[in-house]
PDB file of all heavy atoms in Angstrom:
ATOM      1  N   ALA A 505     -40.454   9.567  -7.187  1.00 55.00           N
ATOM      2  CA  ALA A 505     -40.106  10.732  -6.390  1.00 55.00           C
ATOM      3  C   ALA A 505     -38.994  11.532  -7.064  1.00 55.00           C
ATOM      4  O   ALA A 505     -39.068  12.774  -7.065  1.00 55.00           O
ATOM      5  CB  ALA A 505     -39.723  10.296  -4.984  1.00 55.00           C
ATOM      6  N   ARG A 506     -38.014  10.842  -7.593  1.00 59.00           N
ATOM      7  CA  ARG A 506     -36.928  11.579  -8.241  1.00 59.00           C
ATOM      8  C   ARG A 506     -37.390  12.282  -9.514  1.00 59.00           C
ATOM      9  O   ARG A 506     -36.957  13.414  -9.777  1.00 59.00           O
ATOM     10  CB  ARG A 506     -35.808  10.596  -8.590  1.00 59.00           C
ATOM     11  CG  ARG A 506     -35.022  10.077  -7.348  1.00 59.00           C
ATOM     12  CD  ARG A 506     -34.022   9.038  -7.742  1.00 59.00           C
ATOM     13  NE  ARG A 506     -33.254   8.617  -6.548  1.00 59.00           N
ATOM     14  CZ  ARG A 506     -32.411   7.615  -6.504  1.00 59.00           C
ATOM     15  NH1 ARG A 506     -32.182   6.898  -7.625  1.00 59.00           N
ATOM     16  NH2 ARG A 506     -31.771   7.283  -5.396  1.00 59.00           N
ATOM     17  N   ASP A 507     -38.272  11.641 -10.265  1.00 56.00           N
ATOM     18  CA  ASP A 507     -38.797  12.313 -11.460  1.00 56.00           C
ATOM     19  C   ASP A 507     -39.583  13.535 -11.096  1.00 56.00           C
ATOM     20  O   ASP A 507     -39.499  14.613 -11.773  1.00 56.00           O
ATOM     21  CB  ASP A 507     -39.682  11.327 -12.255  1.00 56.00           C
ATOM     22  CG  ASP A 507     -38.849  10.195 -12.894  1.00 56.00           C
ATOM     23  OD1 ASP A 507     -37.598  10.329 -12.959  1.00 56.00           O
ATOM     24  OD2 ASP A 507     -39.469   9.174 -13.221  1.00 56.00           O
ATOM     25  N   LEU A 508     -40.380  13.445 -10.049  1.00 58.00           N
ATOM     26  CA  LEU A 508     -41.118  14.618  -9.627  1.00 58.00           C
ATOM     27  C   LEU A 508     -40.203  15.740  -9.147  1.00 58.00           C
ATOM     28  O   LEU A 508     -40.422  16.894  -9.465  1.00 58.00           O
ATOM     29  CB  LEU A 508     -42.101  14.219  -8.469  1.00 58.00           C
ATOM     30  CG  LEU A 508     -43.320  13.363  -8.889  1.00 58.00           C
ATOM     31  CD1 LEU A 508     -44.096  12.914  -7.661  1.00 58.00           C
ATOM     32  CD2 LEU A 508     -44.209  14.177  -9.859  1.00 58.00           C
ATOM     33  N   GLN A 509     -39.179  15.319  -8.415  1.00 56.00           N
ATOM     34  CA  GLN A 509     -38.236  16.333  -7.911  1.00 56.00           C
ATOM     35  C   GLN A 509     -37.488  16.995  -9.065  1.00 56.00           C
ATOM     36  O   GLN A 509     -37.281  18.206  -9.070  1.00 56.00           O
ATOM     37  CB  GLN A 509     -37.227  15.680  -6.951  1.00 56.00           C
ATOM     38  CG  GLN A 509     -36.270  16.670  -6.290  1.00 56.00           C
ATOM     39  CD  GLN A 509     -36.980  17.527  -5.293  1.00 56.00           C
ATOM     40  OE1 GLN A 509     -37.583  17.069  -4.344  1.00 56.00           O
ATOM     41  NE2 GLN A 509     -36.893  18.846  -5.464  1.00 56.00           N
ATOM     42  N   ALA A 510     -37.102  16.167 -10.068  1.00 56.00           N
ATOM     43  CA  ALA A 510     -36.412  16.761 -11.222  1.00 56.00           C
ATOM     44  C   ALA A 510     -37.269  17.764 -11.953  1.00 56.00           C
ATOM     45  O   ALA A 510     -36.740  18.735 -12.478  1.00 56.00           O
ATOM     46  CB  ALA A 510     -35.998  15.627 -12.168  1.00 56.00           C
ATOM     47  N   GLY A 511     -38.608  17.546 -11.964  1.00 56.00           N
ATOM     48  CA  GLY A 511     -39.477  18.483 -12.564  1.00 56.00           C
ATOM     49  C   GLY A 511     -39.574  19.816 -11.832  1.00 56.00           C
ATOM     50  O   GLY A 511     -40.011  20.792 -12.408  1.00 56.00           O
ATOM     51  N   LEU A 512     -39.145  19.856 -10.558  1.00 61.00           N
ATOM     52  CA  LEU A 512     -39.196  21.096  -9.796  1.00 61.00           C
ATOM     53  C   LEU A 512     -37.869  21.851  -9.867  1.00 61.00           C
ATOM     54  O   LEU A 512     -37.759  22.925  -9.254  1.00 61.00           O
ATOM     55  CB  LEU A 512     -39.488  20.765  -8.346  1.00 61.00           C
ATOM     56  CG  LEU A 512     -40.846  20.044  -8.103  1.00 61.00           C
ATOM     57  CD1 LEU A 512     -40.991  19.672  -6.658  1.00 61.00           C
ATOM     58  CD2 LEU A 512     -42.006  20.909  -8.539  1.00 61.00           C
ATOM     59  N   LEU A 513     -36.879  21.337 -10.563  1.00 71.00           N
ATOM     60  CA  LEU A 513     -35.609  22.015 -10.702  1.00 71.00           C
ATOM     61  C   LEU A 513     -35.374  22.303 -12.179  1.00 71.00           C
ATOM     62  O   LEU A 513     -35.863  21.590 -13.077  1.00 71.00           O
ATOM     63  CB  LEU A 513     -34.472  21.115 -10.164  1.00 71.00           C
ATOM     64  CG  LEU A 513     -34.554  20.761  -8.669  1.00 71.00           C
ATOM     65  CD1 LEU A 513     -33.425  19.753  -8.324  1.00 71.00           C
ATOM     66  CD2 LEU A 513     -34.398  22.005  -7.822  1.00 71.00           C
ATOM     67  N   PRO A 514     -34.645  23.358 -12.487  1.00 76.00           N
ATOM     68  CA  PRO A 514     -34.354  23.623 -13.888  1.00 76.00           C
ATOM     69  C   PRO A 514     -33.534  22.495 -14.498  1.00 76.00           C
ATOM     70  O   PRO A 514     -32.640  21.965 -13.867  1.00 76.00           O
ATOM     71  CB  PRO A 514     -33.523  24.944 -13.834  1.00 76.00           C
ATOM     72  CG  PRO A 514     -33.011  25.015 -12.411  1.00 76.00           C
ATOM     73  CD  PRO A 514     -34.016  24.327 -11.555  1.00 76.00           C
ATOM     74  N   PRO A 515     -33.816  22.116 -15.731  1.00 74.00           N
ATOM     75  CA  PRO A 515     -33.091  21.007 -16.362  1.00 74.00           C
ATOM     76  C   PRO A 515     -31.576  21.263 -16.460  1.00 74.00           C
ATOM     77  O   PRO A 515     -30.797  20.383 -16.324  1.00 74.00           O
ATOM     78  CB  PRO A 515     -33.717  20.923 -17.763  1.00 74.00           C
ATOM     79  CG  PRO A 515     -34.342  22.235 -18.019  1.00 74.00           C
ATOM     80  CD  PRO A 515     -34.799  22.752 -16.652  1.00 74.00           C
ATOM     81  N   GLU A 516     -31.184  22.505 -16.680  1.00 86.00           N
ATOM     82  CA  GLU A 516     -29.783  22.872 -16.658  1.00 86.00           C
ATOM     83  C   GLU A 516     -29.695  24.372 -16.432  1.00 86.00           C
ATOM     84  O   GLU A 516     -30.576  25.145 -16.724  1.00 86.00           O
ATOM     85  CB  GLU A 516     -29.089  22.480 -17.966  1.00 86.00           C
ATOM     86  CG  GLU A 516     -29.642  23.181 -19.181  1.00 86.00           C
ATOM     87  CD  GLU A 516     -28.902  22.757 -20.456  1.00 86.00           C
ATOM     88  OE1 GLU A 516     -28.235  21.712 -20.440  1.00 86.00           O
ATOM     89  OE2 GLU A 516     -29.020  23.479 -21.451  1.00 86.00           O
ATOM     90  N   LEU A 517     -28.552  24.793 -15.881  1.00 92.00           N
ATOM     91  CA  LEU A 517     -28.368  26.228 -15.587  1.00 92.00           C
ATOM     92  C   LEU A 517     -28.041  26.962 -16.913  1.00 92.00           C
ATOM     93  O   LEU A 517     -27.311  26.475 -17.743  1.00 92.00           O
ATOM     94  CB  LEU A 517     -27.216  26.413 -14.606  1.00 92.00           C
ATOM     95  CG  LEU A 517     -27.499  25.889 -13.169  1.00 92.00           C
ATOM     96  CD1 LEU A 517     -26.232  25.982 -12.346  1.00 92.00           C
ATOM     97  CD2 LEU A 517     -28.624  26.647 -12.535  1.00 92.00           C
ATOM     98  N   PRO A 518     -28.607  28.167 -17.093  1.00 94.00           N
ATOM     99  CA  PRO A 518     -28.357  28.939 -18.324  1.00 94.00           C
ATOM    100  C   PRO A 518     -26.960  29.530 -18.302  1.00 94.00           C
ATOM    101  O   PRO A 518     -26.285  29.598 -17.286  1.00 94.00           O
ATOM    102  CB  PRO A 518     -29.438  30.024 -18.294  1.00 94.00           C
ATOM    103  CG  PRO A 518     -29.653  30.228 -16.797  1.00 94.00           C
ATOM    104  CD  PRO A 518     -29.530  28.873 -16.154  1.00 94.00           C
ATOM    105  N   ARG A 519     -26.533  30.010 -19.465  1.00 92.00           N
ATOM    106  CA  ARG A 519     -25.280  30.724 -19.551  1.00 92.00           C
ATOM    107  C   ARG A 519     -25.544  32.210 -19.453  1.00 92.00           C
ATOM    108  O   ARG A 519     -26.363  32.744 -20.189  1.00 92.00           O
ATOM    109  CB  ARG A 519     -24.595  30.412 -20.882  1.00 92.00           C
ATOM    110  CG  ARG A 519     -24.193  28.933 -21.026  1.00 92.00           C
ATOM    111  CD  ARG A 519     -23.443  28.742 -22.366  1.00 92.00           C
ATOM    112  NE  ARG A 519     -23.015  27.352 -22.523  1.00 92.00           N
ATOM    113  CZ  ARG A 519     -21.900  26.885 -22.070  1.00 92.00           C
ATOM    114  NH1 ARG A 519     -21.074  27.698 -21.433  1.00 92.00           N
ATOM    115  NH2 ARG A 519     -21.556  25.592 -22.214  1.00 92.00           N
ATOM    116  N   ILE A 520     -24.909  32.876 -18.498  1.00 94.00           N
ATOM    117  CA  ILE A 520     -25.110  34.286 -18.244  1.00 94.00           C
ATOM    118  C   ILE A 520     -23.828  35.016 -18.556  1.00 94.00           C
ATOM    119  O   ILE A 520     -22.745  34.661 -18.039  1.00 94.00           O
ATOM    120  CB  ILE A 520     -25.532  34.527 -16.790  1.00 94.00           C
ATOM    121  CG1 ILE A 520     -26.832  33.821 -16.454  1.00 94.00           C
ATOM    122  CG2 ILE A 520     -25.629  36.044 -16.515  1.00 94.00           C
ATOM    123  CD1 ILE A 520     -27.290  34.019 -15.034  1.00 94.00           C
ATOM    124  N   PRO A 521     -23.851  36.036 -19.393  1.00 92.00           N
ATOM    125  CA  PRO A 521     -22.632  36.786 -19.691  1.00 92.00           C
ATOM    126  C   PRO A 521     -21.997  37.339 -18.398  1.00 92.00           C
ATOM    127  O   PRO A 521     -22.708  37.916 -17.598  1.00 92.00           O
ATOM    128  CB  PRO A 521     -23.103  37.891 -20.627  1.00 92.00           C
ATOM    129  CG  PRO A 521     -24.396  37.380 -21.217  1.00 92.00           C
ATOM    130  CD  PRO A 521     -25.010  36.534 -20.166  1.00 92.00           C
ATOM    131  N   GLY A 522     -20.701  37.134 -18.281  1.00 93.00           N
ATOM    132  CA  GLY A 522     -19.985  37.677 -17.131  1.00 93.00           C
ATOM    133  C   GLY A 522     -20.183  36.879 -15.853  1.00 93.00           C
ATOM    134  O   GLY A 522     -19.759  37.310 -14.766  1.00 93.00           O
TER     135      GLY A 522
END
Side-chain angles (χ1 to χ4, degrees):
R506 289 176 177 171
D507 291 343
L508 288 173
Q509 186 69 58
L512 300 175
L513 298 174
E516 62 180 18
L517 293 173
R519 295 182 179 273
I520 299 179

